[in-house]
Amino acid sequence: LLNSVREIDVLKHESWSNVDDMMGTCALVTCMNFISCLGYRAPTAWQDTLELGCKLLKTDGCLVQFDLIKHGKFGDIRAMTTYLKDNNLHLQLVDFKPTSWSNEFVCIVWKKVA
């Protein structure tokens, strides 16, 4: 597992080359509390997580996002699916659930489709 660790900054696309060898090979990509930490300065950072997650996933792999719905329309499924379609990102919504302890946090599961 430690041999697979890579350093990237999701907001700096030039750092994505650090995971070139992993593109299209991952069964699971997770992104937890990213927007709650960076949303105040990069409210549409969720778009970068969708793009990178889609690139990393193999077909039928899943992207799991758990985050605050406060910034940049994260958690607005209509806005998110429109972004996916407009950018030709082949992710399909599998599940969307607010947490039981706060309606401000949601868990969203996407599946990469061919």
Side-chain angles (χ1 to χ4, degrees), residues 15 41 46 67 79 84:
S15 74
R41 71 176 172 109
W46 59 266
D67 226 315
L84 292 169

Side-chain angles (χ1 to χ4, degrees), residues 84-101:
L84 292 169
K85 183 178 179 184
D86 289 350
N87 290 278
N88 203 29
L89 300 173
H90 302 283
L91 294 175
Q92 178 181 43
L93 182 65
V94 173
D95 201 5
F96 175 92
K97 286 188 180 171
T99 63
S100 59
W101 46 272

Side-chain angles (χ1 to χ4, degrees), residues 44-100:
T44 58
W46 59 266
Q47 296 171 349
D48 296 297
T49 65
L50 287 175
E51 184 179 344
L52 181 57
C54 188
K55 289 180 178 188
L56 287 167
L57 288 172
K58 62 183 179 180
T59 300
D60 294 328
C62 288
L63 168 63
V64 179
Q65 296 175 298
F66 176 83
D67 226 315
L68 185 66
I69 58 172
K70 186 176 179 178
H71 302 287
K73 296 193 177 187
F74 176 80
D76 178 338
I77 292 302
R78 179 172 287 161
M80 295 179 82
T81 54
T82 297
Y83 177 81
L84 292 169
K85 183 178 179 184
D86 289 350
N87 290 278
N88 203 29
L89 300 173
H90 302 283
L91 294 175
Q92 178 181 43
L93 182 65
V94 173
D95 201 5
F96 175 92
K97 286 188 180 171
T99 63
S100 59

Side-chain angles (χ1 to χ4, degrees), residues 9-10 24 29-30 38 42 50 71 76-77 96 102 106 111:
D9 182 337
V10 173
V29 174
T30 63
L38 293 176
L50 287 175
H71 302 287
D76 178 338
I77 292 302
F96 175 92
S102 171
V106 295
K111 178 174 141 181

